[in-house]
Amino acid sequence: MSQPLPTSLPFDEGFFSHFTEVMNDMMTSEEQQPPSNLLADSPYVVGMMSGTSLDGLDAVLCQFYEIDDDNDEPVEILATVSAPFPDDLRAVLLALTQPNGVADLIKNNRLAFESELDVFGWASVFYAEFAASLVNGLLEKAQVTPDEVMAIGCHGQTVRHRPQWRFSLQLLDPNTLAERTGIAVVSDFRRRDMAVGGQGAPLVPAFHQAMFGQSNKRRVILNLGGIANITVLDGTDNVIGFDTGVANLLIDAWCQRHTEQSYDKNGDWARSGQVIEPLLKALLAHPYFALPAPKSTGREDFNMAWVDSILEQVAHQHPNLAYSPADVQATLSELTAVSVAQAIMYTTDNVTGELFVCGGGAYNGLILARLQAHLPQWLVTTTADIGLSPLWVEATAFAWLAQQTLINAPSNLPSVTGANKAVVLGQVCF
């Protein structure tokens, strides 16, 4: 029997009570305009990110600095917080990202929604309330007040990314997030780039250049989230970046299906298996891998329905092939390592350099070992070695992007996204 839609969201009302005075003050007409001293008196920025892995929401409170003779650290992280999505919210987000997922959700009577728009609208508010609870806890942890924060840069949850049709949908109600926190919210970062011919992704290479670029050094920054993306920094203003393909998305889903664990810690389960070469070859035949950059991808291209179809194809072609679920896990892990390594070798003409890994996949020892095996002339390590924990790079990136928006500075890279010009990204809800 279907359950009624929740009439309120599962957060303690008292959780937001200390914001009431701030929010009431904001209701005056003159406060509806951005204050002229916004940047001068608001030194901190909050960045928030949830990726294609759908494992939860990360938030950082940080401050950015100019690099000069007295300071060589471009960012200071004051506090961090991360939390898994509530079960109902995660189920809805997952349904929105899957082909026919919402129809299946409604059919299975998980929640009493009537249409995909119902699901999207409800989840937009729920996501914002959840994000606000994290911001509240973050500021409390750092003992920082809302009026000390310049803005919240919140990416929202991508539920559909279709650059070929010039749109990308990030689920978030920034109005609710701004009201619950009393802080300006910058969101909707991708669509302005798409309006000028870009892919709308990846957006973090500009941040990687600002944080990690060094003259006369070739560095590749690799983010291993649900999807893998690289930024190639050659010590000049020439930056290359694109999504290489899948990273943790399939590994996590296969692990959940067969072990009821949300991820394969350190790649230990995959280590117990053997790579299935015919399966790996079939997976690498996905047409996305052969596309030239600029390019970007997501669950629309890489999902478990695709894996199941490839498994059926391989079984038909090799009827005597025997393998275990751990063997498939090993193969999916190798798919990530091989596709990333091939992209790096192709983009850098197979020369040597430094590879710094961030995202949750930076803690998968098997994938890092396989990357090192495929890139023997490269230094393979994590962004912790250049000053920023792998877990917080993407959230910090969206804090930086929000700051760029508020100072009216372009933050897309046409060489990365394929846009015909640099533009200021994001919309602001003051």
Side-chain angles (χ1 to χ4, degrees):
M1 182 174 180
S2 64
Q3 299 179 11
L5 270 173
T7 56
S8 61
L9 298 170
F11 298 104
D12 181 2
E13 292 297 325
F15 197 71
F16 299 107
S17 61
H18 74 281
F19 285 130
T20 301
E21 184 176 347
V22 173
M23 292 165 61
N24 287 338
D25 290 341
M26 290 177 65
M27 293 302 292
T28 63
S29 59
E30 64 185 51
E31 286 295 323
Q32 294 304 305
Q33 299 299 320
S36 60
N37 64 346
L38 179 66
L39 303 185
D41 292 347
S42 305
Y44 306 125
V45 194
V46 171
M48 310 192 80
M49 181 62 184
S50 60
T52 51
S53 59
L54 285 171
D55 51 0
L57 183 57
D58 299 328
V60 299
L61 178 68
C62 55
Q63 185 169 11
F64 297 101
Y65 299 97
E66 293 290 337
I67 300 297
D68 54 34
D69 292 339
D70 297 323
N71 178 54
D72 61 358
E73 297 291 337
V75 61
E76 178 185 4
I77 306 295
L78 285 84
T80 62
V81 64
S82 183
F85 288 121
D87 290 343
D88 281 348
L89 178 58
R90 189 178 190 278
V92 166
L93 293 176
L94 186 61
L96 285 165
T97 65
Q98 299 294 323
N100 301 314
V102 171
D104 291 341
L105 185 80
I106 294 172
K107 180 180 178 181
N108 294 331
N109 295 319
R110 177 162 180 78
L111 291 171
F113 297 113
E114 296 182 1
S115 73
E116 193 164 36
L117 287 178
D118 291 341
V119 176
F120 187 93
W122 177 84
S124 296
V125 177
F126 196 162
Y127 185 104
E129 296 280 7
F130 181 62
S133 71
L134 261 66
V135 172
N136 182 32
L138 185 71
L139 300 188
E140 188 174 301
K141 183 177 180 180
Q143 297 186 335
V144 168
T145 60
D147 58 1
E148 295 178 274
V149 179
M150 179 193 307
I152 300 167
C154 189
H155 172 268
Q157 180 63 50
T158 298
V159 294
R160 200 61 45 87
H161 183 67
R162 297 291 197 187
Q164 70 272 32
W165 296 331
R166 295 176 57 190
F167 81 85
S168 186
L169 295 179
Q170 281 69 51
L171 179 149
L172 169 72
D173 178 10
N175 305 280
T176 295
L177 181 54
E179 282 298 317
R180 297 295 183 268
T181 60
I183 301 171
V185 175
V186 185
S187 61
D188 194 9
F189 290 95
R190 300 192 185 276
R191 291 192 294 174
R192 183 63 185 276
D193 179 80
M194 302 181 100
V196 292
Q199 292 267 320
L203 296 182
V204 292
F207 170 75
H208 292 161
Q209 182 187 34
M211 293 296 112
F212 306 129
Q214 287 198 357
S215 60
N216 302 318
K217 280 193 175 184
R218 177 176 285 103
R219 287 178 166 178
V220 173
I221 310 300
L222 166 63
N223 176 59
L224 292 177
I227 296 297
N229 59 69
I230 59 171
T231 302
V232 181
L233 307 169
D234 64 1
T236 71
D237 290 336
N238 180 40
V239 179
I240 300 171
F242 55 91
D243 291 347
T244 64
V246 69
N248 301 325
L249 195 161
L250 301 178
I251 297 169
D252 291 350
W254 187 260
C255 188
Q256 179 71 51
R257 178 187 287 185
H258 289 276
T259 71
E260 297 186 352
Q261 300 297 313
S262 59
Y263 69 102
D264 184 7
K265 186 175 181 180
N266 199 37
D268 289 342
W269 186 41
R271 289 178 196 271
S272 71
Q274 299 293 322
V275 172
I276 309 164
E277 293 297 339
L279 176 59
L280 178 62
K281 182 178 179 180
L283 293 169
L284 285 168
H286 193 298
Y288 180 82
F289 296 120
L291 291 176
K295 61 180 181 177
S296 56
T297 188
R299 286 181 180 268
E300 297 83 5
D301 294 319
F302 297 100
N303 50 62
M304 288 307 296
W306 171 67
V307 171
D308 290 338
S309 70
I310 298 299
L311 284 168
E312 289 181 8
Q313 172 189 317
V314 171
H316 178 74
Q317 295 172 346
H318 303 272
N320 297 321
L321 182 65
Y323 56 83
S324 69
D327 295 334
V328 176
Q329 185 75 353
T331 307
L332 293 175
S333 300
E334 186 70 359
L335 172 67
T336 294
V338 170
S339 57
V340 167
Q342 288 180 345
I344 291 173
M345 288 187 289
Y346 175 79
T347 307
T348 62
D349 296 325
N350 203 21
V351 297
T352 188
E354 300 173 332
L355 174 61
F356 296 99
V357 186
C358 60
Y363 298 93
N364 186 314
L366 174 62
I367 290 181
L368 263 62
R370 295 306 299 153
L371 284 168
Q372 186 68 82
H374 291 300
L375 299 166
Q377 304 303 316
W378 285 70
L379 167 70
V380 179
T381 184
T382 76
T383 54
D385 288 343
I386 47 176
L388 197 52
S389 167
L391 288 179
W392 308 114
V393 172
E394 283 226 306
T396 306
F398 281 92
W400 183 84
L401 287 166
Q403 179 171 280
Q404 292 294 101
T405 303
L406 290 180
I407 64 176
N408 202 34
S411 52
N412 67 327
L413 293 176
S415 64
V416 170
T417 67
N420 58 45
K421 65 179 180 179
V423 290
V424 178
L425 303 178
Q427 297 188 35
V428 187
C429 184
F430 287 104

